[in-house]
Amino acid sequence: MSTEAFAGWPPPALTSAGPFAAPLVTLSWGVFAMAAVVLLIVIAALVLALFGREDLKAKIGNQRLIWYAGLAFPVVVLSALLIWGLSLTSALTGEPEPGEMRVRVTGEMWWWRVAYLNPEGGEAGAVQSANEVRIPVGEPVTFELESADVIHSFWVPRLGPKLDMIPGRTNILRLQADEAGTYGGQCAEYCGGPHALMGLVVVAMPRDEFDAWMAEQGEAAAAPTDALAAQGLEVFQDNGCGACHVVRGAPGASGLGGPDLTHVGSRRTIGAGILPNNRGTLAGWIADSQGIKPGNRMPSYTTLSGDELQAVAAYLDGLE
């Protein structure tokens, strides 16, 4: 389970898996090659200046050469790099196609709120999730990137560029996965506190599997089917968890402060990509979330007994 949960990590930044990442990989290797050539030229000039013949030293010290090599050469090299880079990445800023699937990802301290927008581009009736995005293979998807608090940066290296999420603005990013699989992502802008523990995954699925998954996610949470999970629902309600979390179908669970938990049991990880999702880790997170991810917005429920923790973990684990 843990191996599957952390599939896609660490994300190899120089291996593209879609058309919006390929130009960046090409540009990166080009920059590396150009930097290597410039470094070799500088080293060669340094060696000649220190150990070369006197006539070569004189040529290297010539004022005209210094002007050409110190000013003209960098201007030409950097201008060429700028023009090539802009032409190579121009497609990354293209407008989304009509009818393209849209996903709104909102960066929060320190997790990701995910909403699969309806055809009108709104969230009414939209499937809600957290820290995990699923997309169909081979289709471009438009991401609307927002922030609820501070500046974050959304980055899934194998699928496309990183883009800042700025409070009060909506930035548009298009991604596409050409192969089914799991692609790791990370907040790439320091946002305080446990910034380093703010990960996410993008899971690319064949279209028929994606449609089936979306249909399941659109349903309300199933009622507990065993005594332990039913006890867990009572613990969940008695301790006010519904004040921060939505569980569609559970009375009183309509809070918006934290992740939507309607189908939390189907997600690969908890805590924004830091723990595999199972009963044991769910119980541990509820009991000591501050010890696991210091500074996050969820308090540790140290007053719950072991039996209560196991019960609420069984309830959440069953929300698939």
Side-chain angles (χ1 to χ4, degrees), residues 232-242 245 247 253 261 312 315-316:
L233 174 57
E234 293 180 5
V235 174
F236 184 91
Q237 294 172 326
D238 292 345
N239 285 273
C241 301
H245 298 284
V247 178
L261 301 181
V312 73
Y315 169 63
L316 296 174

Side-chain angles (χ1 to χ4, degrees), residues 162-210:
K162 60 183 175 182
L163 188 62
D164 282 354
M165 312 166 89
I166 302 171
R169 290 189 55 179
T170 298
N171 288 334
I172 301 299
L173 177 68
R174 300 175 74 209
L175 300 180
Q176 177 178 321
D178 289 338
E179 303 175 359
T182 303
Y183 303 95
Q186 176 67 36
C187 179
E189 179 80 25
Y190 180 69
C191 50
H195 155 75
L197 301 178
M198 187 176 171
L200 77 154
V201 293
V202 174
V203 182
M205 313 165 67
R207 168 51 83 170
D208 56 343
E209 295 182 14
F210 174 78

Side-chain angles (χ1 to χ4, degrees), residues 104-246:
R104 179 173 295 146
V105 180
T106 304
E108 308 208 13
M109 300 169 71
W110 287 266
W111 60 285
W112 312 87
R113 188 186 299 273
V114 179
Y116 298 82
L117 303 183
N118 58 38
E120 290 73 38
E123 293 193 23
V127 168
Q128 303 282 338
S129 188
N131 306 318
E132 181 175 306
V133 183
R134 301 208 179 200
I135 61 174
V137 171
E139 300 180 24
V141 178
T142 297
F143 285 74
E144 297 184 4
L145 304 179
E146 300 179 351
S147 173
D149 35 53
V150 299
I151 297 177
H152 302 280
S153 189
F154 182 90
W155 190 30
V156 185
R158 294 196 65 196
L159 298 184
K162 60 183 175 182
L163 188 62
D164 282 354
M165 312 166 89
I166 302 171
R169 290 189 55 179
T170 298
N171 288 334
I172 301 299
L173 177 68
R174 300 175 74 209
L175 300 180
Q176 177 178 321
D178 289 338
E179 303 175 359
T182 303
Y183 303 95
Q186 176 67 36
C187 179
E189 179 80 25
Y190 180 69
C191 50
H195 155 75
L197 301 178
M198 187 176 171
L200 77 154
V201 293
V202 174
V203 182
M205 313 165 67
R207 168 51 83 170
D208 56 343
E209 295 182 14
F210 174 78
D211 289 340
W213 178 84
M214 281 289 286
E216 293 174 355
Q217 294 292 304
E219 298 176 356
T225 56
D226 61 71
L228 184 61
Q231 179 191 352
L233 174 57
E234 293 180 5
V235 174
F236 184 91
Q237 294 172 326
D238 292 345
N239 285 273
C241 301
C244 290
H245 298 284
V246 169

